[in-house]
Amino acid sequence: MTNFIPIFPLGVVVYPDEQLNLHIFEPRYKQLIRDCIAENKPFGIPAVIDKKMVEYGTLVEIVRLEKTYDNGEMDVVTRGIKVFRILEVIRSIPDKMFTGAIVSYPENHFNSNGRLHAQVLQALRELHHILQINKTFKKADEELIAYDIAHHAGLSLHEEYEVLHLFQELQRLEYLKRHLLKVIPLMAEMERLKDRVKLNGHFRNLTAGDV
């Protein structure tokens, strides 16, 4: 299926079911948001990476208009719906300041694997423990999917985008597992280095050991 959607390019990766709070201040996007609210229609957020709008993004719906300012700026709460692929960018729309795109919606599969899912969650919590981060999720462990976890795994923007256009849940989980198993030893070594730096200059109880 293909259709036309207004687009709001941003330097973030948005995942399906993710809540994204936006402060709208540019005239063209104030118009976009007003139109979407009036017509009860979603809009697209394609990621902008290295100053370039990329091929994939996420269709989002406006959950609520949180606040309207005297100058017309707005705070809106949005939620990701599904991933789209841009087929054609429409730069000029009659009577509109914003741009749009003809998009398609790749088929997305959410079949998981209990063992792999548990390994990813265990690795994620190990990373958070090393970093002394206390992260809680709104869902129970068994309900969490890769999209829920990805923003909390220390991925770069490029890596978050790679996850966005993997369309099998098993692929997404495997990607996160590989990333976490790569980064955890690095972070653990950084913490050990920090501890050694802290000890430098302090009196320590040392033994000669077996010599």
Side-chain angles (χ1 to χ4, degrees):
M1 184 184 78
T2 64
N3 73 325
F4 168 84
I5 58 171
I7 57 173
F8 187 168
L10 285 173
V12 296
V13 170
V14 184
Y15 292 123
D17 204 38
E18 177 185 355
Q19 178 177 306
L20 180 68
N21 301 329
L22 296 171
H23 177 71
I24 312 298
F25 59 92
E26 289 187 62
R28 55 183 168 168
Y29 297 126
K30 288 192 287 187
Q31 184 189 51
L32 182 154
I33 295 298
R34 285 195 300 266
D35 284 2
C36 288
I37 290 174
E39 299 172 18
N40 193 27
K41 289 185 177 179
F43 63 96
I45 299 182
V48 176
I49 301 176
D50 296 332
K51 299 181 180 180
K52 179 183 178 182
M53 186 170 67
V54 292
E55 185 178 9
Y56 291 93
T58 299
L59 187 72
V60 303
E61 63 181 354
I62 298 172
V63 177
R64 65 181 177 273
L65 175 60
E66 193 75 19
K67 183 176 180 179
T68 302
Y69 297 83
D70 292 339
N71 60 2
E73 295 181 10
M74 294 172 276
D75 292 335
V76 295
V77 177
T78 70
R79 185 186 71 87
I81 302 173
K82 56 185 175 181
V83 180
F84 63 79
R85 179 188 177 197
I86 293 176
L87 303 177
E88 181 184 356
V89 176
I90 309 298
R91 303 264 176 209
S92 179
I93 306 170
D95 302 320
K96 305 297 180 186
M97 293 182 283
F98 54 83
T99 57
I102 306 298
V103 301
S104 65
Y105 301 97
E107 190 174 346
N108 208 343
H109 301 276
F110 291 89
N111 295 331
S112 189
N113 174 280
R115 184 167 176 269
L116 177 59
H117 183 268
Q119 289 173 335
V120 171
L121 282 181
Q122 181 180 355
L124 180 73
R125 293 196 164 112
E126 184 177 350
L127 175 64
H128 289 177
H129 176 74
I130 292 169
L131 298 177
Q132 299 179 13
I133 295 172
N134 184 20
K135 180 71 67 174
T136 56
F137 294 96
K138 295 179 180 179
K139 299 178 181 178
D141 281 5
E142 60 271 16
E143 296 175 348
L144 292 171
I145 62 173
Y147 289 143
D148 299 319
I149 298 167
H151 283 318
H152 307 284
L155 298 172
S156 68
L157 184 61
H158 283 275
E159 290 167 332
E160 288 184 341
Y161 179 64
E162 287 183 358
V163 172
L164 183 70
H165 57 89
L166 294 174
F167 295 108
Q168 299 278 350
E169 177 70 359
L170 291 175
Q171 292 176 322
R172 294 188 288 266
L173 288 172
E174 190 61 44
Y175 185 100
L176 291 173
K177 177 186 172 183
R178 288 199 307 268
H179 166 78
L180 288 164
L181 294 183
K182 178 180 68 175
V183 78
I184 283 171
L186 298 176
M187 293 300 102
E189 181 57 33
M190 288 291 289
E191 288 302 306
R192 286 191 290 270
L193 178 60
K194 281 169 57 178
D195 290 340
R196 290 198 294 271
V197 170
K198 289 176 184 177
L199 285 171
N200 191 28
H202 292 272
F203 292 101
R204 290 177 286 171
N205 294 321
L206 300 175
T207 59
D210 296 326
V211 294

